[in-house]
Amino acid sequence: MKRLAEAACLAGLAVAFAAACGEHAPWNAGNPISQASATAQYAESVAPVLEKRCAVCHGCYDSPCQLDLSSFQGLERGASKKPVYDSTRLFHAAPTRLFVDERSEEGWRKRGFTSVVDGGAARALLPRMLELARAHPLAAGERLPESLPLDISRELTCPIAGEFDAYAREHPLGGMPYGTAPLSAAELEAITSWLNAGAPAPPPPAPLPDDVVAEVASWEGFLNGESLEQQITARYLYEHWFLSHLYFPSHPAGPFFRVVRSRTPSGVAADEIASVRPYDAPGVERVWYRLLPIEGALLHKTHITYELGPDKMKRLQALFLAGNWKATRLPGYGLEASNPFRVFVEIPARARYQFLLDGSRNFVMNFIRGPVCYGQVAVDVIEDRFFVAFLDPDHDVSVVDPAFLPGVIDWLDLPAEHESRWAPGELFYSYSRNQTKYLDARAKAVAASDPKLRGPALDWIWNGAGRNPNALLTVYRHFDNAAVTRGFTGRWPKTAWIMDYPIFERIYYDLVAGFNVFGNVTHQVATRLYMDHLRMQSEDLFLTFLPPAQREPLRASWYVGATKQVDYFLVDRLRSEKRGTQVRYTTQDPKAELLAKILARAGAAAGPPDRLNRCAGNGCNSPAVERALRRLVGVRGPWVVTLPSLSLLRVQGVGVYSLIHDEAHTNVAFMFGEDSRRVPEDDEVTLAHGISGSYPNFIFEIIPSEAGGFVDALIGIRSGADLDRVVSRYG
C-alpha cells in the first residue's frame, strides 16, 4: 500500500506540474546574446527558473550529487559523486560547504567537483539533463509507466558530461526536474541562451541600505568587545547563532546574515575561518565575529531566522554583562570545548538558560531542521509528533544551585569530545556510566531542595511570562526529516517532553554545535546513541508532574518491547517514585489533563486555540471547510496508511492546510528495524494551517464546496483502486 501511495503521489505531482507548464514544444538554443545582456539575464531569467524548478531538490546538504542550484556560485561549483550524507564511511570526509570551504571554481575542481555548464547548450551536462526530461515528457492526465516508481527509488547516480549517453540509455526517465514535468520551452530557452553566451556571472549584489550597514557595525562592535566577559559572551552567542539567518526588525524580509569567525576585524573584508565546528581551534590569536550577508535563494529547510536589533542587544547586555560575574580566563578550543558546561562555566547558568528560553523555537529548530535531522536513522530517535515545554529557571536545580553544574561537568561529556577514538560499544558504555552518575546526582540535589517530597507544581513549567510565543512547541517527524511549530498542535500526543537547562544545552551541542555532517559512521552512531538518553530524560521530566502511581505504567506504554534495555531500566530509569506532585487531577487521563493545564496557564503565549484538532464547545465556530476537514482527525483506518508523511491541501480562495501522517510505533528506542516496530492500525492524521514541513510529498487541490466529498473519499479508501480515484480527482 505504501508503494501504491508513492506511485500515486508521483503521478499526481507529474500531472500537476505538466498541467501548469502547458505544451512542450521542441526547443532550440536561439540566437547568441551580448555579454551584458547575458549577465543581466542570469538574475532576471535564469535564477527564477532554477529557484522555481530546481532548488527545491538542489539546495541543501541532501542535494543530489551535491549540485546546489540555489545560487550562481553553486551552479558554477558543479557536481560531485561523493554524497554528504553517508552512513557507511569509516573516515571523516573533507567538508564541502558552499561559500565556506572554497570561494573559486578552481578550488572546487581540486576538490573533485565537475562542471555542469561547460561546453555551452550543446554539450554541457545541465541542458542535456533538462532535454532528457523533455524527450520523455509526462503529459497532463498521462499514467506513469509501471517502472517509474522503481526508477525513482534507484540508487543515486551522478554522471559527468562524458558519461551522459550511457546514463540516458540506462535511465531514460532520469531527466531533470526528476519525476515531474519538464521545463517549458521558454524556461529552457532562458538557460540555453545564457549558456551559449559563456554562462557569465551575474552582477554583484546591490549595496546594503545605510541603516542596515549601521546595524551591522553596531552588532560587530558588541560581539568584539575587549573585556574577558564580553569575549566569552560573544563566543557563547556565536556558537548558538552560527546556523541561524540573522535579521533586523526594521527589515523583516531581509537582508539576512550569518555570523562567522574572521581573521580580520570590522572595517576590512572578512576572512572567514572555515572550521568544521564552531569551537574548533581558529589558528589565530584572536577571532573577530563578523556578519556576512546570506547568498543565494532562501530555502525552508535552512532558513532558521533569529531577530537582532536594539531590544535584543539590551536583553543580551542585561542577561550576560550586567551581573556581578567575573571571568578569569579565556577558554580553549578543540574537542574538549564540545562540553559547554566546562567552557562557559563562569557565565551564570541562569543567563545561559534564559537566553535559550527566549529563543527556544529557534534553537529547537536548529536541531530539528539542522544538518543532523535528515535521513530515517537520524530522526527515528523521536516520535512522529510530540509536545515540548521547558522547566522554569526558578525551579531548575542546575540554575538555582550554583554548585550543582560545576560538580557534574565531567559526567556531561558529549560525543564530539571523543571523536573517533572509541567503538560504538565503548561509547554506549561510557555514556551509560556517565549518565547514570549525572542523573543520580541530579535526583539527590532535587531531593535536597524538596525534603518533604511534595514534587513539582504547575508553575514549575515555564510559561514565557504569558507572552513569549516560544514557550510551547510541537515537533513533527516526517519519516526522514522533521519540523517544529509554535504552540501545541494536534490531539494530545503519545509522549511529551519537558526540558531543563542541561537537557536543552546538551541536545543543542549533540545535534548542532558538535555534529559534523561530514563525520564518519562512529560519529553518527555516537550522536544517535547519546540522543536516546536526552529524549528519555525529557520524557521522564514530564512524567514527574503526573501522579506517582501512573508514571511507570505510562512510560512502559511508550516503550513496548524496549523495557528490558539497559538505557530504559538502569540508566534513564525513573528516579521520582517517592516524590509526589503538586498538580491536582480530577480525571482518569492525567496526561491529557496536564497538557491542557500547561496550555491554559501559558495564556497568550500558547497562541490561538487549535480548532482543527481539538475543537470543543463554542470553540467550534469555524469555517465550513474546516468543519468538514475535522472529520479526518482521530479517525484510524487503512486510508491513513496510504497517505505520505506530509500532504498539502490547497482550498481555492481559502488557503493551504497540511495533512500530517502521524505514524505509530511500539517504541523509538532502536536505530534500526523501524518497520518491525510500526503499528499502522494506530496511525492518525493531524491537520495544520499552512505548510508544516520542508519536504511536502503530495498536493491535493479542491474548491470549498468539495471539502465534504474530499473527506468522504479519503476515509473511504480501502484499496489501490480507491486511492487511484482520489488521486485522479483531487491530486
Side-chain angles (χ1 to χ4, degrees):
M1 187 63 75
K2 189 71 173 179
R3 173 64 65 189
L4 262 174
E6 292 171 353
C9 290
L10 290 167
L13 282 171
V15 170
F17 277 113
C21 291
E23 296 298 322
H24 302 290
W27 68 275
N28 58 70
N31 297 319
I33 58 176
S34 70
Q35 182 79 11
S37 298
T39 298
Q41 185 190 26
Y42 179 86
E44 295 171 0
S45 302
V46 176
V49 173
L50 298 178
E51 291 178 12
K52 185 174 75 170
R53 298 302 311 277
C54 308
V56 63
C57 291
H58 291 275
C60 193
Y61 282 130
D62 57 337
S63 296
C65 310
Q66 293 197 56
L67 178 60
D68 190 325
L69 298 177
S70 64
S71 67
F72 170 80
Q73 291 83 352
L75 177 60
E76 181 184 54
R77 179 179 73 166
S80 169
K81 291 180 178 291
K82 295 181 179 179
V84 172
Y85 291 106
D86 183 354
S87 60
T88 63
R89 60 180 168 235
L90 300 179
F91 302 98
H92 294 326
T96 53
R97 294 162 297 179
L98 189 62
F99 301 114
V100 176
D101 295 308
E102 292 289 351
R103 298 293 299 192
S104 69
E105 182 179 1
E106 180 183 4
W108 288 119
R109 295 294 170 263
K110 292 179 180 179
R111 287 178 179 255
F113 283 77
T114 56
S115 174
V116 297
V117 297
D118 286 353
R123 298 188 302 277
L125 186 64
L126 177 66
R128 298 181 76 185
M129 280 287 190
L130 299 175
E131 174 58 19
L132 180 60
R134 293 180 61 80
H136 301 273
L138 298 168
E142 179 184 1
R143 293 285 299 174
L144 293 182
E146 290 297 324
S147 63
L148 186 53
L150 297 177
D151 199 59
I152 286 290
S153 302
R154 65 178 172 80
E155 292 296 316
L156 184 66
T157 305
C158 301
I160 60 176
E163 301 167 344
F164 176 78
D165 290 340
Y167 171 87
R169 288 193 298 271
E170 186 174 355
H171 304 289
L173 296 172
M176 298 293 159
Y178 195 32
T180 65
L183 265 61
S184 68
E187 290 171 328
L188 193 56
E189 171 69 17
I191 292 174
T192 55
S193 61
W194 172 73
L195 288 172
N196 281 334
L208 296 172
D210 290 343
D211 61 331
V212 172
V213 172
E215 289 266 29
V216 169
S218 175
W219 276 95
E220 289 187 353
F222 172 75
L223 292 171
N224 293 296
E226 294 297 329
S227 72
L228 288 181
E229 292 80 15
Q230 288 173 309
Q231 292 186 55
I232 296 174
T233 294
R235 174 170 169 179
Y236 184 80
L237 297 177
Y238 163 71
E239 291 186 11
H240 289 79
W241 286 349
F242 76 100
L243 273 189
S244 295
H245 289 184
L246 310 173
Y247 70 98
F248 304 116
S250 57
H251 293 265
F256 295 91
F257 297 84
R258 59 189 181 97
V259 61
V260 305
R261 297 190 300 177
S262 173
R263 298 177 182 86
T264 52
S266 300
V268 297
D271 182 9
E272 182 175 357
I273 298 168
S275 59
V276 173
R277 295 186 177 95
Y279 50 73
D280 286 345
V284 294
E285 184 175 350
R286 176 170 182 179
V287 301
W288 303 90
Y289 299 104
R290 306 289 301 277
L291 269 59
L292 301 183
I294 299 291
E295 301 176 79
L298 300 174
L299 285 87
H300 183 273
K301 164 73 174 175
T302 55
H303 191 47
I304 303 172
T305 60
Y306 189 94
E307 181 183 300
L308 299 182
D311 291 342
K312 180 69 68 177
M313 189 177 294
K314 291 177 183 177
R315 176 63 167 169
L316 296 176
Q317 288 171 332
L319 284 177
F320 291 99
L321 301 175
N324 57 5
W325 69 283
K326 293 295 181 183
T328 61
R329 60 179 179 82
L330 289 176
Y333 292 100
L335 294 180
E336 290 190 1
S338 67
N339 186 331
F341 308 102
R342 181 181 296 117
V343 173
F344 302 108
V345 66
E346 295 185 322
I347 300 179
R350 181 177 292 273
R352 287 177 272 160
Y353 188 29
Q354 190 61 61
F355 164 75
L356 294 179
L357 291 177
D358 284 355
S360 57
R361 180 171 178 259
N362 169 274
F363 300 119
V364 172
M365 286 173 71
N366 268 266
F367 54 74
I368 290 298
R369 275 171 38 189
V372 69
C373 280
Y374 178 82
Q376 179 188 5
V377 174
V379 294
D380 71 359
V381 71
I382 58 176
E383 294 282 353
D384 257 44
R385 182 175 58 87
F386 58 95
F387 294 166
V388 177
F390 305 90
L391 198 63
D392 190 276
D394 288 337
H395 299 283
D396 186 338
V397 67
S398 70
V399 172
V400 299
D401 182 354
F404 177 72
L405 275 180
V408 298
I409 283 177
D410 290 339
W411 302 330
L412 296 174
D413 56 336
L414 284 110
E417 183 172 347
H418 308 292
E419 203 59 293
S420 305
R421 290 181 291 172
W422 296 349
E426 293 176 289
L427 290 169
F428 177 82
Y429 173 76
S430 174
Y431 296 157
S432 297
R433 178 192 61 207
N434 286 347
Q435 291 305 294
T436 300
K437 291 180 179 179
Y438 165 70
L439 292 172
D440 287 344
R442 185 186 186 280
K444 183 178 179 180
V446 169
S449 68
D450 182 21
K452 294 184 179 180
L453 301 179
R454 295 188 304 163
L458 188 62
D459 63 3
W460 289 31
I461 298 173
W462 183 63
N463 72 341
R467 59 179 180 272
N468 189 322
N470 300 304
L472 306 178
L473 304 172
T474 299
V475 174
Y476 307 102
R477 178 197 167 196
H478 302 308
F479 184 67
D480 58 7
N481 64 96
V484 58
T485 60
R486 289 190 174 106
F488 285 173
T489 303
R491 284 156 52 89
W492 305 130
K494 175 182 176 181
T495 66
W497 293 12
I498 293 178
M499 291 195 283
D500 62 4
Y501 171 56
I503 293 174
F504 201 170
E505 194 79 276
R506 282 183 294 159
I507 294 180
Y508 181 84
Y509 272 81
D510 182 37
L511 302 183
V512 184
F515 181 71
N516 177 11
V517 70
F518 301 94
N520 63 9
V521 62
T522 300
H523 172 67
Q524 296 174 55
V525 170
T527 300
R528 171 60 164 79
L529 290 175
Y530 196 88
M531 186 59 205
D532 274 320
H533 292 292
L534 302 178
R535 180 198 65 247
M536 282 190 280
Q537 291 169 29
S538 302
E539 294 169 342
D540 290 353
L541 190 50
F542 173 80
L543 290 169
T544 63
F545 287 79
L546 298 179
Q550 301 191 33
R551 294 170 191 165
E552 185 54 49
L554 181 58
R555 185 173 185 252
S557 73
W558 298 348
Y559 286 88
V560 173
T563 57
K564 295 183 179 180
Q565 296 298 308
V566 172
D567 281 353
Y568 180 88
F569 75 86
L570 181 61
V571 181
D572 297 293
R573 70 182 187 278
L574 282 175
R575 289 167 168 81
S576 61
E577 298 91 339
K578 297 180 180 179
R579 296 182 70 219
T581 176
Q582 298 181 60
V583 182
R584 296 292 172 253
Y585 295 96
T586 60
T587 71
Q588 297 301 308
D589 189 354
K591 181 187 75 172
E593 194 173 350
L594 175 59
L595 292 171
K597 289 177 182 291
I598 294 172
L599 195 62
R601 184 173 176 271
D610 183 357
R611 292 179 176 145
L612 288 173
N613 302 281
R614 299 191 307 272
C615 193
N618 294 331
C620 290
N621 295 326
S622 51
V625 167
E626 294 186 1
R627 292 199 298 272
L629 294 179
R630 279 203 301 269
R631 292 196 289 120
L632 298 173
V633 176
V635 181
R636 299 174 179 177
W639 68 277
V640 182
V641 183
T642 67
L643 294 177
S645 295
L646 176 61
S647 303
L648 302 183
L649 171 64
R650 185 167 69 176
V651 183
Q652 293 181 18
V654 176
V656 175
Y657 299 86
S658 291
L659 277 62
I660 303 163
H661 182 177
D662 295 336
E663 296 190 350
H665 302 79
T666 56
N667 68 78
V668 291
F670 304 95
M671 288 183 63
F672 305 108
E674 180 176 4
D675 287 347
S676 66
R677 292 178 281 115
R678 284 277 289 114
V679 190
E681 60 270 22
D682 290 343
D683 289 6
E684 293 186 357
V685 169
T686 293
L687 297 174
H689 291 279
I691 301 175
S692 296
S694 304
Y695 299 89
N697 304 106
F698 189 61
I699 301 172
F700 294 105
E701 184 170 18
I702 62 174
I703 59 176
S705 61
E706 292 178 319
F710 170 72
V711 170
D712 289 337
L714 272 188
I715 295 177
I717 292 175
R718 296 292 183 273
S719 66
D722 293 337
L723 177 63
D724 284 345
R725 283 191 289 271
V726 173
V727 167
S728 63
R729 180 171 181 181
Y730 302 110

